[in-house]
Amino acid sequence: MPRGKTTGKAAGKPARQLLFSEAVRQQKHPSVEDSPPLPCANMADDTQGATMNRILQEISAVSRKLEGMDNDMVALTAETRSMRLDIGGFQSQMSGLDQRVTMVESQVASWTDRDLELSHLRSKLTDLEDRSRRNNVRLLGFMEGVEGADIFS
């Protein structure tokens, strides 16, 4: 049908406006199969009506697919929000663990310093014990108590 011509049902409306209004009507009432076919005056109108019905069915199918995609997007949005909350919780846990690791590292560093100090003190103690033994004089071959009351005389 040429552009701008009208059909018998809606005089004064171009054919593409009829297609759009039919699509809107079908969107409100998705079952195209249940609606009665439009009365056709001749074979050309019958073919045009069948084409329009097929187009409306396809528009309805696309509309249903879009609704399904919209539902999927809502579910994805909810999952994304849930994951964002989980990630926030993990970040706070990681922050707490980072603080604990920092504290443990500082304690280990102080233990290393204490180990070095302990090693130094042990070497000093060994040195002092060795020096104190050198100043002691041991006399062998004398009976116990021979020196009497004065050992220096």
Side-chain angles (χ1 to χ4, degrees):
M1 175 157 48
R3 210 171 159 174
K5 287 198 169 188
T6 59
T7 61
K9 183 173 179 183
K13 286 188 176 181
R16 72 173 174 224
Q17 283 182 341
L18 282 176
L19 281 174
F20 181 73
S21 63
E22 282 289 311
V24 170
R25 182 179 64 78
Q26 287 297 329
Q27 207 171 23
K28 292 178 184 173
H29 308 287
S31 60
V32 174
E33 294 82 19
D34 296 342
S35 63
L38 298 173
C40 298
N42 60 25
M43 183 64 116
D45 285 343
D46 192 26
T47 305
Q48 184 181 7
T51 304
M52 288 177 62
N53 280 339
R54 189 177 48 218
I55 290 171
L56 290 175
Q57 287 174 353
E58 289 179 15
I59 289 173
S60 177
V62 168
S63 174
R64 285 190 297 269
K65 286 181 182 178
L66 287 174
E67 287 175 8
M69 290 172 74
D70 187 43
N71 292 339
D72 291 343
M73 286 300 293
V74 168
L76 283 173
T77 303
E79 276 187 54
T80 304
R81 285 184 184 140
S82 172
M83 287 180 181
R84 193 176 303 152
L85 290 174
D86 290 345
I87 289 172
F90 291 144
Q91 285 176 337
S92 65
Q93 287 179 353
M94 289 298 292
S95 175
L97 289 175
D98 187 40
Q99 290 174 354
R100 290 176 61 187
V101 165
T102 303
M103 184 174 54
V104 167
E105 285 175 344
S106 66
Q107 287 177 350
V108 167
S110 71
W111 291 344
T112 304
D113 293 341
R114 287 182 186 158
D115 283 346
L116 289 173
E117 184 181 356
L118 182 61
S119 174
H120 179 70
L121 290 174
R122 280 186 181 158
S123 69
K124 279 179 109 179
L125 178 64
T126 303
D127 186 47
L128 288 173
E129 285 177 347
D130 287 345
R131 286 178 191 248
S132 70
R133 281 191 205 132
R134 285 186 217 142
N135 292 333
N136 290 341
V137 177
R138 293 185 80 188
L139 299 173
L140 300 174
F142 291 102
M143 300 286 289
E144 192 73 29
V146 175
E147 69 273 3
D150 185 19
I151 55 174
F152 292 107
S153 46

